[in-house]
Amino acid sequence: MAETLEIRWHGRGGQGTVTAAKVFADACLSGGRHVQAFPEYGPERSGAPLRAYNRVSSKELRMHCPVLRPNIVVVVDATLLDGIDVTEGALDDAVFIINSSRDPKELREKLKAKPTQKVFTVDATKIAIECFGRPMPNSPMVGVLAKVSGIVSLDVILEDVKKSFGKKFSQKVIDGNLEAVKRGYEEVREG
C-alpha cells in the first residue's frame, strides 16, 4: 500500500454512502491504520448527490481537507456518471468501483478511463435487495472496496459491520448486511 490511500465516494443521500465510508475507516482502524472518514454535504434531501472521503495511512494523518487526487473512486449510484465528473483529479493509476449491472468495459469507455486506470463493477443494489430486502448498496460496496484495495481483510470488515450495526439493527438485518458484504467481495468484476 502507498503510504496514504485516498478514497472519494460518490452517492446520493439515503444510500448509506457516509455510513459505508465510516465502516470502512473503522475496519482499517481495527487493522492498525490511521484513518479519516468524513462527508461533504449540506442540508441535502434524500436522493441529492453527495461525496464522502477516506484517508488510510500507516502514519499519522495531518491533512484535513477533501480528497482531490483519489487513488480510489467509489460510485454508489451509477446515475451520477451522467451528471458528475467522477474522474476529476483521479490519479493516473486510480481505481474506479461502480455499483452497476453493466459490464466494466462498457463503463471504462463511458468514464474515458486511462489504460493505467482500473474499472470494477458490482450490482450492489441487486445484492442488497436479495440479502436484506432494501436497495441500500453500501454494504456490498464496502466488501468490494476491501477486496480491491487489499488493505483490510474481509474478516476484519465483517467484524466491524457486526459492531457498527449490532446496536442499531435486528440480527436478521445484521446477517443480511454481512452476507451483502461477502457477496460484494466475491461478485466484483474487472474490465
Side-chain angles (χ1 to χ4, degrees):
M1 178 181 98
E3 188 173 297
T4 301
L5 181 68
E6 295 192 323
I7 303 164
R8 184 173 66 214
W9 296 75
H10 293 272
R12 293 187 183 277
Q15 293 180 312
T17 305
V18 173
T19 299
K22 289 177 183 176
V23 168
F24 187 75
D26 286 345
C28 291
L29 184 64
S30 296
R33 310 275 187 196
H34 297 272
V35 299
Q36 291 178 348
F38 54 98
E40 177 184 280
Y41 61 92
E44 283 94 350
R45 67 198 180 285
S46 181
L50 63 83
R51 293 180 184 202
Y53 306 99
N54 287 121
R55 282 195 181 88
V56 182
S57 182
S58 55
K59 296 185 177 183
E60 183 179 348
L61 292 163
R62 296 178 184 265
M63 185 182 308
H64 298 281
C65 62
V67 170
L68 302 176
R69 304 275 299 145
N71 304 92
I72 299 176
V73 177
V74 182
V75 182
V76 180
D77 189 322
T79 65
L80 293 170
L81 298 176
D82 295 324
I84 295 173
D85 180 9
V86 300
T87 66
E88 179 185 6
L91 297 175
D92 287 343
D93 62 349
V95 172
F96 297 91
I97 301 169
I98 304 166
N99 171 17
S100 177
S101 61
R102 292 166 64 185
D103 186 274
K105 290 177 184 156
E106 186 181 338
L107 291 179
R108 168 179 279 289
E109 290 175 24
K110 184 174 185 69
L111 291 171
K112 296 181 176 78
K114 298 173 182 173
T116 53
Q117 295 174 325
K118 294 182 179 180
V119 178
F120 295 87
T121 63
V122 67
D123 195 343
T125 302
K126 176 185 172 202
I127 291 170
I129 290 169
E130 290 175 357
C131 290
F132 52 86
R134 295 186 62 207
M136 295 283 292
N138 57 342
S139 292
M141 296 302 282
V142 169
V144 174
L145 182 56
K147 183 171 188 173
V148 170
S149 70
I151 62 171
V152 62
S153 73
L154 179 60
D155 290 338
V156 171
I157 288 282
L158 293 173
E159 280 304 311
D160 272 89
V161 168
K162 281 183 204 172
K163 278 193 270 182
S164 294
F165 291 12
K167 297 172 186 167
K168 302 177 205 170
F169 299 106
S170 70
Q171 191 61 48
K172 181 180 177 184
V173 171
I174 295 166
D175 291 345
N177 276 276
L178 293 172
E179 181 63 22
V181 170
K182 288 180 203 170
R183 284 191 52 193
Y185 188 93
E186 294 163 0
E187 294 178 26
V188 63
R189 299 175 295 156
E190 182 178 0

